[in-house]
Amino acid sequence: MKTTHEVTNQVPDLVDTNLFETDAALRDAVRFNAPELDVQALRELGAEAGSAEMQTHARLANLHSPRLHTHDRTGHRIDEVEFHPSYHALLGAALRHRLHGAPWAPGGPSHVERAAGFLMFTELEPSVLCPVSMTYAVTPALRANPALQAAFGGLLASPAYDGRFRPASAKTAVTMGMGMTEKQGGSDVRANTTQAVRDGEDAWGERYRLVGHKWFMSAPMSDAFLVVAQTPAGPTCFFLPRWLPDGTLNAVRIQRLKDKLGNKANASSEVEFVEAMAWRVGDEGRGLPQILAMGALTRLDCALGTAGLMRGALALAMHHARHRSAFGRRLVEHALMRNVLADLALESEAATALAIRVARAVDRSESDAAPAAEREHEALMRRLLTPAAKYWVCKRGSHFAQEAMECLGGNGYVEAEGEGVMARIYREMPLNSIWEGAGNIMALDLLRALRAGAVSEALECELAPAKGAHPALDRAVARLVSKAGDGVEEAESRRFARDLALATQGALLAQTAPPAVFAAFCESRLDGAPDAFGELPAATDFDAILARAGAE
Ligand SMILES: Cc1cc2nc3c(=O)[nH]c(=O)nc-3n(C[C@H](O)[C@H](O)[C@H](O)COP(=O)(O)OP(=O)(O)OC[C@H]3O[C@@H](n4cnc5c(N)ncnc54)[C@H](O)[C@@H]3O)c2cc1C
């Protein structure tokens, strides 16, 4: 066969990179927030998550979406979801690296270590992290039912993934999901209509029968779920297993799987409960505060996940710009492309710095070893920075993905049978902003947090180490502290969330990033809202920023 042309100037795949070794921003964020940590496990995770073999699993798990089987061949209900083997390989790796309930178990990783691992794993594949994140969040919630905690706490922290659909008592590890959202409203959990009727008491505590539905319930093959249902005292949390203690299936009917924009490897379902058995976790009527506590942990994961997706998109954009030429030079040598990449690198590093800082707040606010004053400060920071980070980092995510995609030109928009990783990242990005509380809900949550203590003083203390480092940061901190003291109106709470995130990012970069990164961040983002990417002033030290990100 005659050839019509030679294929040139196309970019090779970005494979076999160590996601930890190549990410200086992440390494410095980890060092700053956990100076004593031995990072060997993160190095190993970085190598595995950047390997060609795992990338193939990520492609296949997304290409071959999960399938629901409501009945078996002979008409019995089975309500099983079938996944491609690559999904199990990925989920197995995530558990092996202890990204689920492990930080809550004795001898488990710190929250900072787990956060860094979660961020890197997201670069590989975010969908399978949905059940991983939910397991992380529900594990401490089970403390409200000591019998369930004793029965499942160890299994929720076990690194030995067991993908078989069978009772938890016969498995080496379990995962859990969460079911709050119903058709009539997700943000307003009080509007839930699913009813719980008391049915007796047994070894797992107070048993109820649940009748109702959930409009979104992801990872329906999880071994159990924490769900909210109404009791006479109001919304209440329940532990709802897929299998009952007698070895029969619980009455959880999966109606259908959601046909989603992205997040293709993960199954998200609509379910009905037909007198399904569930055990109470916490007091009747106390469901909302419990949900909020869990939500704070999954919201941290939304910020971490978005920081990971940003870093993944940036790495692809830099790789492309290094290998692709236009108008006689490699893209990375063009002044405007250097500006775009440098600006993306600033955003990526700032997102990483903020998300890992929130993970430290979880560590230190939970630590018995921390002095009481530090614990109190960290608890307040955790309360304030979680909604601010989820709001701002996730809001920037889609915008970021669009710009990173554009760096690849037309190839960025092409799926190519799952080989187009940038397209996958782009489709995934909006999700972290929507689930676990959309943007407005984050801003409203931050408003509530502002009433939680001496916020102005705590912010001054948090941001003090960067005082005098840059005039724009000093101005931003002064505005923020004064606004926190004066009071924030509901209508301006998004703006306050943004300003809190930006000032904290600036203060963190002052302590962890090279001077060029810190200066460019302050100059481009703190005196007015950031605009389109690639509008950094011409005098910016692009060389230093790009070297830091690994573009050269
Ligand atoms: C792929 C996917 C998987 C999911 N998996 C799960 C799961 O496993 N378990 C689960 O429980 N849920 C899950 N969800 C549901 C998700 O958490 C909700 O969709 C989300 O919380 C928003 O709720 P809603 O869709 O009912 O929208 P609504 O609550 O109707 O909100 C719509 C819009 O109104 C805004 N809004 C709401 N109240 C206010 C207010 N007071 N002031 C101003 N604005 C307001 C919101 O910010 C949002 O922008 C999933 C969603 C998706 C997309």
Side-chain angles (χ1 to χ4, degrees):
M1 199 191 290
K2 280 187 176 172
T3 55
T4 59
H5 66 288
E6 199 185 332
V7 179
T8 62
N9 201 24
Q10 289 284 13
V11 174
D13 290 340
L14 175 59
V15 287
D16 290 331
T17 52
N18 185 315
L19 302 184
F20 190 65
E21 298 291 0
T22 53
D23 189 348
L26 178 62
R27 279 190 275 110
D28 282 346
V30 168
R31 193 175 304 124
F32 177 70
N33 289 291
E36 313 295 331
L37 180 68
D38 174 356
V39 295
Q40 183 53 28
L42 290 175
R43 222 176 265 130
E44 286 164 18
L45 197 170
E48 187 175 346
S51 69
E53 184 189 346
M54 293 307 276
Q55 286 175 351
T56 301
H57 282 313
R59 182 176 72 81
L60 292 173
N62 278 277
L63 202 57
H64 303 284
S65 290
R67 294 185 60 175
L68 171 63
H69 304 289
T70 52
H71 297 79
D72 69 7
R73 188 179 59 82
T74 53
H76 302 97
R77 272 212 88 111
I78 51 171
D79 297 285
E80 268 192 67
V81 181
E82 187 183 7
F83 293 90
H84 189 273
S86 285
Y87 172 88
H88 293 292
L90 290 163
L91 191 47
L95 262 60
R96 186 160 25 81
H97 288 288
R98 303 188 300 169
L99 305 181
H100 56 325
W104 308 105
S110 68
H111 294 277
V112 166
E113 180 176 8
R114 181 255 172 204
F118 189 91
L119 188 153
M120 285 191 283
F121 208 100
T122 312
E123 293 181 55
L124 167 65
E125 211 300 300
S127 318
V128 299
L129 291 178
C130 172
V132 172
S133 177
M134 292 193 289
T135 303
Y136 172 61
V138 301
T139 298
L142 285 190
R143 290 172 187 159
N145 179 326
L148 289 172
Q149 160 80 11
F152 290 92
L155 288 169
L156 289 163
S158 164
Y161 173 63
D162 190 334
R164 294 170 299 173
F165 189 41
R166 52 164 61 186
S169 55
K171 292 184 69 167
T172 54
V174 299
T175 59
M176 281 185 69
M178 290 156 68
M180 284 94 75
T181 310
E182 298 187 0
K183 289 172 183 153
Q184 67 282 353
S187 310
D188 187 1
V189 179
R190 272 168 304 198
N192 271 203
T193 60
T194 297
Q195 296 293 322
V197 176
R198 200 161 175 277
D199 186 49
E201 191 171 357
D202 59 30
W204 286 354
E206 304 266 338
R207 194 179 60 244
Y208 289 67
R209 295 270 179 184
L210 265 50
V211 176
H213 79 285
K214 294 294 162 189
W215 182 230
F216 281 93
M217 201 167 88
S218 288
M221 292 304 283
S222 300
D223 299 278
F225 299 83
L226 218 77
V227 298
V228 181
Q230 297 286 359
T231 62
T236 303
C237 278
F238 293 94
F239 175 86
L240 175 91
R242 290 285 329 256
W243 293 89
L244 296 172
D246 67 3
T248 59
L249 264 182
N250 203 0
V252 176
R253 306 275 188 255
I254 304 177
Q255 303 299 303
R256 63 176 168 178
L257 299 186
K258 298 285 192 189
D259 182 10
K260 298 173 286 185
L261 170 67
N263 197 249
K264 295 285 187 186
N266 180 34
S268 299
S269 66
E270 297 164 17
V271 294
E272 290 184 3
F273 309 135
V274 192
E275 300 220 321
M277 278 193 200
W279 283 259
R280 182 157 58 77
V281 176
D283 294 335
E284 279 196 6
R286 295 291 300 158
L288 290 185
Q290 285 178 273
I291 288 291
L292 285 177
M294 281 185 288
L297 293 164
T298 47
R299 287 166 185 175
L300 163 59
D301 281 358
C302 291
L304 286 166
T306 302
L309 290 173
M310 283 182 179
R311 175 65 199 174
L314 173 66
L316 286 170
M318 294 189 301
H319 177 74
H320 189 87
R322 267 198 307 271
H323 289 88
R324 175 91 169 171
S325 295
F327 301 97
R329 270 182 299 164
R330 293 183 307 140
L331 288 174
V332 74
E333 292 162 6
H334 290 270
L336 261 180
M337 183 55 90
R338 294 177 78 71
N339 196 327
V340 171
L341 292 174
D343 209 0
L344 291 173
L346 296 180
E347 195 71 33
S348 170
E349 174 148 5
T352 295
L354 181 57
I356 300 288
R357 166 68 186 96
V358 181
R360 165 156 62 103
V362 179
D363 270 325
R364 300 305 289 170
S365 60
E366 299 268 337
S367 165
D368 294 335
E374 184 190 349
R375 269 213 310 274
E376 199 180 316
H377 174 77
E378 293 296 317
L380 187 49
M381 282 304 124
R382 179 177 170 181
R383 182 69 191 88
L384 292 167
L385 293 181
T386 302
K390 155 92 157 87
Y391 171 72
W392 184 242
V393 172
C394 298
K395 274 282 162 269
R396 294 288 280 167
S398 292
H399 190 26
F400 187 106
Q402 187 278 325
E403 196 68 61
M405 175 184 272
E406 203 165 308
C407 293
L408 273 61
N411 283 358
Y413 196 68
V414 173
E415 294 272 355
E417 297 282 305
E419 288 179 24
V421 178
M422 191 65 97
R424 193 162 80 215
I425 292 174
Y426 181 78
R427 286 188 281 96
E428 186 76 17
M429 271 295 194
L431 183 52
N432 278 335
S433 194
I434 295 174
W435 66 7
E436 305 302 340
N440 289 352
I441 299 303
M442 288 307 96
L444 293 172
D445 189 44
L446 178 58
L447 267 190
R448 277 192 300 277
L450 290 178
R451 298 194 286 268
V455 171
S456 300
E457 294 78 0
L459 287 178
E460 268 185 311
C461 167
E462 173 71 17
L463 304 170
K467 200 169 181 176
H470 195 287
L473 180 57
D474 286 346
R475 286 191 291 276
V477 170
R479 282 194 303 269
L480 185 79
V481 169
S482 134
K483 190 73 201 159
D486 292 350
V488 179
E489 303 270 337
E490 183 173 319
E492 59 184 356
S493 52
R494 272 187 177 227
R495 178 185 284 259
F496 185 80
R498 178 200 71 189
D499 291 346
L500 172 57
L502 283 168
T504 310
Q505 287 177 327
L508 289 167
L509 295 185
Q511 299 167 81
T512 60
V517 170
F518 169 61
F521 180 87
C522 293
E523 277 146 30
S524 59
R525 283 149 170 86
L526 297 183
D527 275 335
D531 215 329
F533 287 103
E535 299 179 1
L536 297 174
T540 301
D541 189 348
F542 296 109
D543 291 354
I545 299 170
L546 291 175
R548 163 77 165 178
E552 309 288 1

